[in-house]
Amino acid sequence: MGSSFRFSKAGPEDADRITELTNLAFEVEAFFKTKPRTNVDGVKQMMEKPDSEFLLLLDSQDNLAGSIFITLNDDTPPNAYFGMLSIHPSQQGKGLGKMMVLEVEKRFRERGFTSLVITTVSVRPELQTYYGKLGYEVYAQKPFVSDDLNRPVDFVCMRKQLA
């Protein structure tokens, strides 16, 4: 990782800036969603889930350049999972998203997990391409049911073997 960035575990005091960054980074999804990606209460609830955290990427002045949610999902047995990868638009295209994903993979590998999953959306095929280049493969597709969609959307579930 470049010397100008560092990782930090988010605390409840970071919920506002995580929300702001996430909604800014996910504005690209406005073509199919009618509401922002998240809100402060939602971020705080995610933080409170067992075995869950937001990992922050901070620049040398502690400005938030990126965030990612990591957790264990509800599968039996639970899978290592990440989502809501958000890079500030001014920092996109510089490899920071890949840097964050590789850090999450390393952390889960160190905890003994042999695979990592992510859920993308069918109407953003560039995400499947992006994660595919990082070694993730589609293993399932299921309906995305939400009251804030303006068109049919499916979740595209992807997995990478870490072992």
Side-chain angles (χ1 to χ4, degrees), residues 79-82 98 101-106 108-109 113-119 130-139 157-163:
N79 282 300
Y81 176 88
F82 75 90
K98 179 179 179 181
V101 171
L102 293 175
E103 178 67 17
V104 169
E105 290 174 3
K106 180 183 105 178
F108 276 120
R109 195 177 289 111
F113 286 89
T114 58
S115 66
L116 183 58
V117 296
I118 181 172
T119 303
Y130 175 79
Y131 290 112
K133 289 178 181 177
L134 295 177
Y136 290 79
E137 297 178 346
V138 174
Y139 70 90
C157 305
M158 301 183 77
R159 176 184 296 121
K160 179 176 181 177
Q161 296 304 317
L162 300 178

Side-chain angles (χ1 to χ4, degrees), residues 48 51 62 67 71 83 92 111 124:
E48 293 169 359
D51 290 312
D62 282 342
S67 68
T71 190
Q92 291 176 4
R111 290 177 59 186
R124 297 215 36 222

Side-chain angles (χ1 to χ4, degrees), residues 12-20 23 36-48 54:
E13 68 280 3
D14 296 305
D16 286 331
R17 66 185 189 154
I18 291 170
T19 301
E20 182 180 344
N23 288 334
R37 175 63 177 84
T38 193
N39 58 52
V40 173
D41 289 338
V43 168
K44 287 180 179 178
Q45 287 174 0
M46 292 169 77
M47 287 179 172
E48 293 169 359
F54 278 90

Side-chain angles (χ1 to χ4, degrees), residues 58-129:
L58 305 172
D59 69 13
S60 59
Q61 283 85 43
D62 282 342
N63 295 309
L64 184 58
S67 68
I68 191 169
F69 179 65
I70 56 178
T71 190
L72 301 180
N73 69 10
D74 296 327
D75 292 347
T76 304
N79 282 300
Y81 176 88
F82 75 90
M84 287 177 53
L85 172 60
S86 303
I87 303 297
H88 192 281
S90 69
Q91 299 290 337
Q92 291 176 4
K94 299 179 180 179
L96 300 182
K98 179 179 179 181
M99 181 187 307
M100 293 198 79
V101 171
L102 293 175
E103 178 67 17
V104 169
E105 290 174 3
K106 180 183 105 178
R107 289 173 182 229
F108 276 120
R109 195 177 289 111
E110 288 172 353
R111 290 177 59 186
F113 286 89
T114 58
S115 66
L116 183 58
V117 296
I118 181 172
T119 303
T120 63
V121 288
S122 57
V123 294
R124 297 215 36 222
E126 73 275 13
L127 294 176
Q128 288 90 54
T129 300

